[in-house]
Amino acid sequence: MTARTDTEQVELANTTFYEVMERSDFESLSGLWLDGDDDGVSCVHPGWPVLSGRGEVLRSYALIMANTEYIQFFLTDVEVSVSSDTALVTCTENILSGGPAEESGELGPLVGQLVVATNVFRRTSEGWKLWSHHGSPVLAETEEEPDDETPA
Amino acid sequence: MTARTDTEQVELANTTFYEVMERSDFESLSGLWLDGDDDGVSCVHPGWPVLSGRGEVLRSYALIMANTEYIQFFLTDVEVSVSSDTALVTCTENILSGGPAEESGELGPLVGQLVVATNVFRRTSEGWKLWSHHGSPVLAETEEEPDDETPA
């Protein structure tokens, strides 16, 4: 089953994006972002201002990888919308991460974090590539969540 | 000068999106979002989970408008990237807003808020329409900001 639908290809590209982060694989991550003279890529990490352009975006990931000893993403609510050569993905990133330990060399304390992301991909001759990533912390429950009666 | 470039048209659509919010003009806001059987629209308000589909997105705006007496957006750092029939806009929303007063009927206290947004538009026969809006609070200064030496 090699022939995949656009939606399946985009979902795979989205999953790969998080897997390379988990592996701290900067080379592969760089290859997932659009590359070109006028790529127009942008990235917002949770709580950060906008980063624009491939150079600035990739430097931020190098910095984050250098300061993250361990990170794991459990993706939920993945929704894909494809229109011609552009695809929009929204998902919830249930993150478990730990920074480097200060002294002992052991893993620092693990921290759980709830982030929602909007990822925009563009179709290229080398597959679907990231045009934009915007992640933001979920700070409040809304009244749209009927499954959870208890306040966070 | 009626013939505008794609970038100018998209920037105008983006500005209009914030102007109709300032006017609390729900009808016009509804007209700015993609409409169709398979629109795939999504929206993230600052600190909120993802809202998917036109119905859920528009209901959230009705709720926000009902609870906002006054809101003004000062947009800075507006960057537009157009690729074929899709456009990506990032901007900083410098927001001044006030909720309804509890008793006196006067304006509640004004609150300033710094939000960054990624807005995705699609070209339609009726102009550029919103496919996705993702706004998030700016919680921390990064080392990418050389103009500001003092911690926030």
Side-chain angles (χ1 to χ4, degrees):
Chain A
M1 203 175 81
T2 50
R4 290 194 174 87
T5 65
D6 282 347
T7 299
E8 286 169 340
Q9 284 176 27
V10 169
E11 195 165 345
L12 191 61
N14 192 64
T15 307
T16 304
F17 172 51
Y18 292 101
E19 282 175 354
V20 300
M21 283 287 291
E22 289 180 341
R23 293 202 311 267
S24 203
D25 181 348
F26 184 76
E27 280 293 305
S28 299
L29 182 80
S30 304
L32 291 177
W33 282 86
L34 271 178
D35 197 357
D37 288 342
D38 188 24
D39 51 65
V41 301
S42 64
C43 178
V44 178
H45 300 296
W48 287 40
V50 178
L51 307 177
S52 296
R54 205 177 140 82
E56 199 171 46
V57 170
L58 292 183
R59 275 197 299 279
S60 75
Y61 278 104
L63 189 70
I64 289 170
M65 285 179 177
N67 286 287
T68 307
E69 190 72 23
Y70 174 88
I71 190 160
Q72 195 162 5
F73 295 91
F74 302 92
L75 299 187
T76 52
D77 314 311
V78 180
E79 301 217 15
V80 179
S81 171
V82 180
S83 173
S84 179
D85 291 338
T86 313
L88 189 68
V89 180
T90 56
C91 57
T92 302
E93 308 171 355
N94 304 271
I95 304 175
L96 193 63
S97 66
E102 298 270 320
E103 288 186 13
S104 67
E106 289 180 18
L107 201 62
L110 290 177
V111 179
Q113 201 185 355
L114 191 61
V115 167
V116 287
T118 302
N119 300 324
V120 189
F121 292 85
R122 264 164 49 191
R123 192 198 307 267
T124 75
S125 56
E126 285 157 12
W128 290 90
K129 301 291 180 183
L130 269 166
W131 190 8
S132 163
H133 164 72
H134 191 141
S136 64
V138 180
L139 304 175
E141 293 292 318
T142 71
E143 294 166 42
E144 307 277 344
E145 302 269 337
D147 294 334
D148 191 353
E149 297 286 337
T150 52
Chain B
M1 204 175 79
T2 51
R4 290 195 173 85
T5 64
D6 282 347
T7 300
E8 286 168 339
Q9 284 177 27
V10 170
E11 195 165 344
L12 191 61
N14 192 64
T15 306
T16 304
F17 172 51
Y18 292 101
E19 282 175 354
V20 301
M21 283 287 292
E22 288 180 342
R23 293 202 311 268
S24 203
D25 181 348
F26 184 76
E27 280 293 304
S28 299
L29 181 81
S30 304
L32 292 177
W33 283 85
L34 271 178
D35 198 357
D37 287 342
D38 189 26
D39 52 65
V41 302
S42 65
C43 178
V44 179
H45 300 296
W48 286 41
V50 179
L51 307 177
S52 296
R54 204 176 141 80
E56 199 171 45
V57 170
L58 292 183
R59 274 196 299 279
S60 75
Y61 278 104
L63 190 70
I64 289 170
M65 285 180 177
N67 287 286
T68 306
E69 189 72 21
Y70 174 88
I71 190 160
Q72 196 163 4
F73 296 91
F74 303 92
L75 299 187
T76 52
D77 313 312
V78 179
E79 301 217 15
V80 178
S81 171
V82 180
S83 174
S84 180
D85 292 338
T86 313
L88 188 69
V89 180
T90 56
C91 57
T92 303
E93 307 171 356
N94 304 270
I95 303 174
L96 192 64
S97 66
E102 297 270 322
E103 287 186 15
S104 67
E106 289 179 17
L107 201 62
L110 291 177
V111 179
Q113 201 185 354
L114 191 61
V115 166
V116 287
T118 301
N119 300 324
V120 189
F121 293 84
R122 264 167 47 192
R123 192 198 308 267
T124 75
S125 57
E126 286 158 12
W128 291 89
K129 301 291 179 184
L130 271 165
W131 190 9
S132 163
H133 164 72
H134 191 142
S136 64
V138 179
L139 303 176
E141 294 291 318
T142 69
E143 292 166 45
E144 307 277 344
E145 301 268 338
D147 295 334
D148 191 354
E149 296 286 339
T150 53

